[in-house]
Structures are given as C-alpha cells and as structure tokens.
Amino acid sequence: MTTVTTPITPERMPWTHEGEIPTAITLYAGEHVPLPFTPPSLFHPCNPSVHFDGWQWRCSVRAVDYELGLTHPNGSSSKNFLLYLDPRLQIDDVVEMVDQSGVAKKPDTKVRGFEDLRLFSRGDQIMALASACDIEGGFQRRGGWGSPEMCELATGRRGTITACRVIRGPWSDIPQKNWMPIEDGDGRAVVYRAYPRLLLYPWAEQGAKSAGEVRGFYPSSVRGSSQLIRFDGGWLAVCHESTRKPLAYRHRFVWFDKELMPRKIGRDFVWLSPGVEFCAGLAWDGKRLVASFGKNDREAHLMKVDPAKVVESLHPFLY
C-alpha cells in the first residue's frame, strides 16, 4: 500500500470527479449493514446516528412522515428512536426518544419534532445535537415556516429527552442544520464545516470563531455530517458536499488535529449509490469504524469500513 502524500490546497481541492464516483464498499472495503427498523405507520426511517461509548453500541433513527420532492401544506413531523445494538451491530432493543422537554412541541406549527440527531458523550451522559423548527422566539421563513435552530439534547434512562437547550447567537438567522458535535470533547466547540473552516463556541465568551465569514454557509464547501470522534491522535469525521439540482450528496473523510484544524482529507465517495445519502453518525471501537447514513429520507443503514484504508486514503491538506 502507498500513502498519498501530495498536499492538497483549497485551490487544488478535487471538488468534482469525472466518471463514476466510487462507493464506500469499493473504496474502503465497506460492509453494508441494513438497519431493519420499522417505525410507526405512515413514518419512514432516515438519517441514523451511530454511537459507541466504550461499552454499548447505540443508534438514533429519525422517522419522518413526508416524502422528498412533494409539497406538504400541512407541514411535517419527526419522531426519534434509540436502537440498542449488540456487538454484531444487530438490533437488540428499540425505544422511542420521548421528548419531555416540550421545546419542539409548540402547538399549531408546520414542522414538528427534533431533526437529524448526532449522538455524542459528555462524561457519562449521552447527549445529542439536533435542529428544530418553529421554536418559541425563533426565526421565521417566508410562508410561516420556522427556520431550523441548533439544540443540545440531554437524554435520560431509556433514551428519554429530558432537557433541551436552544443555542442562539448572532448566527441564528441562518438555518442551523448539520452542526457536528465532538465526541467526549470538552463540550465547548461544535463544527459546521471543514473548508472553509467554521467553528462555534456557543457556550463560551468567544462566540463564533471562523476561518471565514460566519455568513458564508452556502457556497460549495466540505461541511457537517457526522460527529467528530477520537482517531489516530486527532479527530475523524465524515463531511459532505451537495448539489441542489439534482439533490445529491458526496462524502469525504476528514481528519482534524487536536486544535480542530482540518489536516487530511479523502476523496469523494457515495455510500451505496449516487443520490440523497445523509450521514449523521461515525463510531470507532478500536477495531471497527462504523458510519450510519440515511437514503432518500426513507431508509437507515450502517456501513463498516476498513480503518487502515481510510488512513491510507487521506491526503495532507494545506489549509
């Protein structure tokens, strides 16, 4: 095996590739593990977030009552479920993550429930970073639709959402989707994107901290998907790039140093096939590297990848 050592600068970033984009199965010797979870009637599973706390494998799964590409004049609802997985990553138990905080239960709203959880540990507690719309005092989009806002969720026994802290600041008038928490970090920082780098310290006096403009959310960029997990002396995450027409996602592994600077980046790939694939989870038990992703907002999947191949594929990134 030969490790690629040619540095990549932002100007040389291979944003697009000609020809067929490789899958994680071919690029990282991936092993696909479907999640055979059936939510309540009229709901579909999507956007799982896998997590390993050193003892227990867990995976949250969002369930939605809408279909991509269709209009929903009456709005949409999300429910969340916590799957307890055995060492073979098979489902051992399922519980609904009942919201006792009441934050995402504002009556007469168009978008209901917490969206796209990312599980992470803070000490002995399982937390989640999520987004929610139509929160009291939140920003409104045209048509009366609430703008997504970032929320930190605390869970209790059996996955109950016991508390929610809405994280607001000067950045809150921009939809707050896809912030990446740091697994078992100091709890101060979250990451929105790797390039251009955008960090946020929502619980500290520093406020927003970025290598570029805080408002530069929308230009093509390598941005939030999974959590950041401890890996190889730093932090590893799955990030994505997307196109709107057609709606499609490409993914990359990104390695950050201890100061949360992106230092290495892999080439783009899809998990199973091109289209809407959304990764909200990454976990590592010292042997297995496991990612979780949804497809077309109707399916939930896991993918085991070879950590040696991930390391080998990372290019030095000159920020």
Side-chain angles (χ1 to χ4, degrees):
M1 296 183 180
T2 303
T3 302
V4 178
T5 58
T6 303
I8 295 176
T9 65
E11 293 73 22
R12 296 183 60 248
M13 174 69 72
W15 298 111
T16 58
H17 291 80
E18 296 182 2
E20 185 176 355
I21 299 176
T23 67
I25 294 173
T26 57
L27 197 60
Y28 297 117
E31 180 182 344
H32 176 216
V33 183
L35 281 173
F37 164 65
T38 302
S41 177
L42 303 180
F43 281 78
H44 309 289
C46 66
N47 303 353
S49 181
V50 70
H51 178 264
F52 182 69
D53 66 1
W55 178 74
Q56 175 70 59
W57 285 92
R58 296 174 177 85
C59 188
S60 65
V61 177
R62 179 185 173 196
V64 299
D65 64 353
Y66 63 80
E67 293 189 29
L68 285 176
L70 300 181
T71 58
H72 305 89
N74 296 321
S76 63
S77 296
S78 294
K79 297 177 181 288
N80 292 283
F81 296 84
L82 188 62
L83 282 53
Y84 291 86
L85 307 178
D86 67 20
R88 298 174 297 120
L89 302 178
Q90 301 301 303
I91 299 174
D92 194 36
D93 195 10
V94 178
V95 295
E96 183 172 356
M97 300 182 73
V98 178
D99 177 19
Q100 294 183 343
S101 74
V103 171
K105 291 184 177 180
K106 182 183 171 185
D108 302 321
T109 58
K110 289 191 174 183
V111 184
R112 299 167 290 275
F114 293 112
E115 303 178 2
D116 300 335
L117 277 63
R118 274 87 167 169
L119 300 179
F120 66 101
S121 297
R122 179 175 295 160
D124 294 331
Q125 187 167 24
I126 303 300
M127 310 286 292
L129 207 61
S131 62
C133 299
D134 293 323
I135 302 174
E136 192 70 42
F139 292 88
Q140 296 292 309
R141 293 175 285 180
R142 283 182 293 182
W145 295 81
S147 183
E149 296 192 77
M150 181 171 31
C151 302
E152 182 191 64
L153 310 181
T155 66
R157 296 186 62 184
R158 303 291 291 168
T160 300
I161 298 172
T162 57
C164 171
R165 175 165 50 173
V166 182
I167 303 169
R168 288 178 174 145
W171 59 87
S172 295
D173 59 340
I174 299 171
Q176 298 295 291
K177 294 284 283 184
N178 306 335
W179 287 95
M180 299 188 290
I182 299 173
E183 167 62 18
D184 200 25
D186 59 15
R188 294 180 301 150
V190 291
V191 179
Y192 186 83
R193 69 185 173 212
Y195 174 74
R197 188 177 73 136
L198 177 57
L199 308 181
L200 194 68
Y201 293 83
W203 305 284
E205 294 181 358
Q206 297 100 309
K209 185 175 184 178
S210 169
E213 290 294 324
V214 173
R215 292 181 176 271
F217 277 30
Y218 294 108
S220 178
S221 57
V222 181
R223 60 187 185 277
S225 236
S226 76
Q227 318 92 324
L228 275 69
I229 61 171
R230 294 184 185 275
F231 186 83
D232 199 22
W235 307 92
L236 185 69
V238 175
C239 294
H240 69 242
E241 302 159 75
S242 64
T243 58
R244 302 300 297 178
K245 294 181 180 181
L247 181 60
Y249 290 80
R250 302 191 306 272
H251 312 274
R252 299 178 189 270
F253 283 99
V254 179
W255 184 86
F256 298 76
D257 64 18
K258 294 180 180 178
E259 284 69 45
L260 299 178
M261 279 298 277
R263 295 299 185 190
K264 299 178 183 179
I265 190 166
R267 68 156 297 173
D268 58 344
F269 66 92
V270 296
W271 294 106
L272 296 174
S273 59
V276 180
E277 295 179 325
F278 190 87
C279 176
L282 184 65
W284 164 244
D285 66 359
K287 295 181 179 179
R288 294 176 295 179
L289 197 55
V290 182
S292 57
F293 63 97
K295 191 165 183 64
N296 297 324
D297 280 8
R298 297 184 70 87
E299 303 170 13
H301 302 270
L302 300 177
M303 183 75 72
K304 294 189 287 185
V305 296
D306 185 339
K309 289 187 177 295
V310 171
V311 172
E312 182 182 85
S313 72
L314 294 173
H315 299 250
F317 181 66
L318 298 183
Y319 194 82

